[in-house]
Amino acid sequence: MTTMLDSDATTLSIDDATADLLFREARTVKRFTDEEVTDEHIAAAYDLMRWGPSAMNISPLRYLVVRGSEAKDRLNAYTMEGNHAGIQAAPVTLVLAADVDFHVHMDRLTPHAPGVGAHFASQPELSESMGRMNAALQAGYFITALRAAGLQVGPMGIADSAALDADLLAGTAWKSLFLVNVGHAVADAEGATRPRAARLEAHEVSRVL
Amino acid sequence: MTTMLDSDATTLSIDDATADLLFREARTVKRFTDEEVTDEHIAAAYDLMRWGPSAMNISPLRYLVVRGSEAKDRLNAYTMEGNHAGIQAAPVTLVLAADVDFHVHMDRLTPHAPGVGAHFASQPELSESMGRMNAALQAGYFITALRAAGLQVGPMGIADSAALDADLLAGTAWKSLFLVNVGHAVADAEGATRPRAARLEAHEVSRVL
């Protein structure tokens, strides 16, 4: 039976508190407490998000963990000046990246299409566009999963991705996408977030064929 | 206090059933029941995912709803033959796309940076790369939100995105990314899913600077 659905309450399979935590009340955080964020805590979020789908299961998302004043200074050589203080102050900053050599793992990740890794190895442009799109898709899972792991995030752009890659990602085929500061938000009275910005309505972003 | 975290149980802020629903047990679905999926049900998922962050809140994700045999035939002119039957059989197929003219909404979406829309209007290459990356990021939120709304998904690639855009998305600046079949899975004994493919471990996808 299909009925017209007129409220979230009738349609969601997660409870209201979870919908708020992951989506409705989740905010981009500008200021974090000093509480440490361990590699294990980040890995717990990764262990959730990795099950999300990507094209042929290529799973190209990678992340560089940047923690501590010296490493943050190295990172800030490639970020916008207005973001330097926020990056320095965050407990940890992740550089999310696409591994455009994802084909090296395809024998293991894509057993239903034997030999397809060699196809991608011979097509670097296709590998780059597929790698970037699917890593960005997985970044959406990762941000949601970090929140599911009780962390708050503040994503930020990179001023010069090519230069960052050549330095901090040297020796890999990783292409940086954007940064995510991760930690626990200070109280909002202390400037954790900006006023909530608007979003588009469903009828503005959708069409029916 | 920070302690070493050695299991999900100590780190997650969502319950195990929700972690399974959204991530750990969620599967790409190949076969759906005949149960209808309404536009309102999809909009309920959109109403969750739209709160996720994108660069400067540009929110470029758009979706085309394709339902019914005739519309599916039009769509299948641009998909791989091996996917035609699955697309026809799904209750609804969404074409996820990036609106590279996202700048037209920036006065409303980005009030903290007045006039920045004009900057993007004058830089079509930047708009296309930012639009595509951020729409793919939002697609990650959308897939998670569809699952949160009790739906199952089967993402699929597009064989010829440029041709699809010129036909089905004519009159817009939307650039198609990929498809998502949406519905309710048949029982697994009836072929809902393939065997679960492997994923990479956290230590394989991360480095510490």
Side-chain angles (χ1 to χ4, degrees), chain B residues 13-174:
Chain B
S13 293
I14 62 175
D15 62 45
D16 264 358
T18 304
D20 287 345
L21 177 79
L22 300 184
F23 296 106
R24 295 185 302 218
E25 299 297 327
R27 300 295 312 278
T28 288
V29 167
K30 302 286 175 194
R31 291 193 58 223
F32 298 92
T33 70
D34 292 337
E35 186 177 351
E36 201 181 325
V37 176
T38 63
D39 291 349
E40 291 75 15
H41 204 159
I42 296 164
Y46 174 77
D47 284 343
L48 287 181
M49 67 70 62
R50 64 179 174 156
W51 298 110
S54 62
M56 304 185 76
N57 195 36
I58 59 173
S59 307
L61 186 73
R62 304 291 182 265
Y63 63 94
L64 180 71
V65 178
V66 186
R67 195 187 279 112
S69 175
E70 195 179 335
K72 295 286 186 74
D73 275 343
R74 289 186 64 193
L75 175 60
N76 273 338
Y78 311 107
T79 67
M80 285 152 278
E81 194 171 349
N83 290 337
H84 287 184
I87 290 168
Q88 269 293 352
V92 65
T93 304
L94 305 180
V95 180
L96 301 191
D99 185 352
V100 302
D101 278 354
F102 58 79
H103 67 85
V104 303
H105 299 291
M106 285 187 84
D107 283 351
R108 184 152 52 112
L109 297 180
T110 314
H112 52 283
V116 72
H119 171 73
F120 286 100
S122 70
Q123 299 211 42
E125 280 185 33
L126 176 65
S127 292
E128 174 138 0
S129 65
M130 272 191 61
R132 286 181 178 275
M133 181 174 80
N134 283 277
L137 174 68
Q138 289 185 284
Y141 309 143
F142 204 6
I143 285 175
T144 311
L146 287 162
R147 289 167 165 174
L151 296 164
Q152 282 94 45
V153 303
M156 288 181 165
I158 298 168
D160 190 340
S161 282
L164 185 157
D165 299 350
D167 179 8
L168 307 186
L169 303 178
T172 74
W174 299 9

Side-chain angles (χ1 to χ4, degrees), chain A residues 6-203:
Chain A
D6 58 11
S7 90
D8 282 359
T10 62
T11 54
L12 299 186
S13 293
I14 61 175
D15 62 43
D16 264 359
T18 304
D20 287 346
L21 177 79
L22 300 184
F23 298 105
R24 295 185 302 217
E25 299 296 327
R27 301 295 313 278
T28 287
V29 167
K30 303 286 174 193
R31 290 193 59 222
F32 298 91
T33 71
D34 291 337
E35 187 178 351
E36 202 181 326
V37 176
T38 63
D39 290 350
E40 291 74 16
H41 203 160
I42 297 164
Y46 174 77
D47 284 344
L48 286 182
M49 67 70 61
R50 65 179 175 155
W51 297 110
S54 61
M56 305 183 75
N57 195 35
I58 59 173
S59 307
L61 186 73
R62 305 290 182 266
Y63 62 95
L64 179 71
V65 178
V66 186
R67 196 187 277 112
S69 175
E70 194 179 337
K72 296 287 186 75
D73 274 344
R74 290 186 63 193
L75 175 60
N76 273 337
Y78 311 107
T79 68
M80 285 153 277
E81 193 170 351
N83 290 337
H84 287 184
I87 290 168
Q88 269 292 353
V92 65
T93 303
L94 305 180
V95 180
L96 300 193
D99 185 352
V100 301
D101 278 355
F102 57 80
H103 67 85
V104 302
H105 300 290
M106 286 186 84
D107 283 351
R108 184 153 52 115
L109 297 180
T110 313
H112 52 283
V116 72
H119 171 73
F120 285 100
S122 70
Q123 300 211 43
E125 281 185 31
L126 175 65
S127 292
E128 174 137 0
S129 65
M130 273 191 61
R132 285 181 178 274
M133 183 175 79
N134 283 278
L137 174 69
Q138 289 184 284
Y141 309 142
F142 204 5
I143 284 174
T144 311
L146 287 162
R147 289 166 164 174
L151 296 164
Q152 283 93 46
V153 303
M156 290 182 165
I158 299 168
D160 190 341
S161 282
L164 185 158
D165 299 350
D167 178 8
L168 307 185
L169 304 178
T172 74
W174 299 10
K175 307 292 184 187
S176 58
L177 301 175
F178 59 92
L179 312 178
V180 185
N181 291 327
V182 181
H184 298 88
V186 297
D188 212 47
E190 300 173 63
T193 65
R194 268 204 285 251
R196 182 65 129 167
R199 297 297 194 275
L200 300 172
E201 302 298 327
H203 69 85

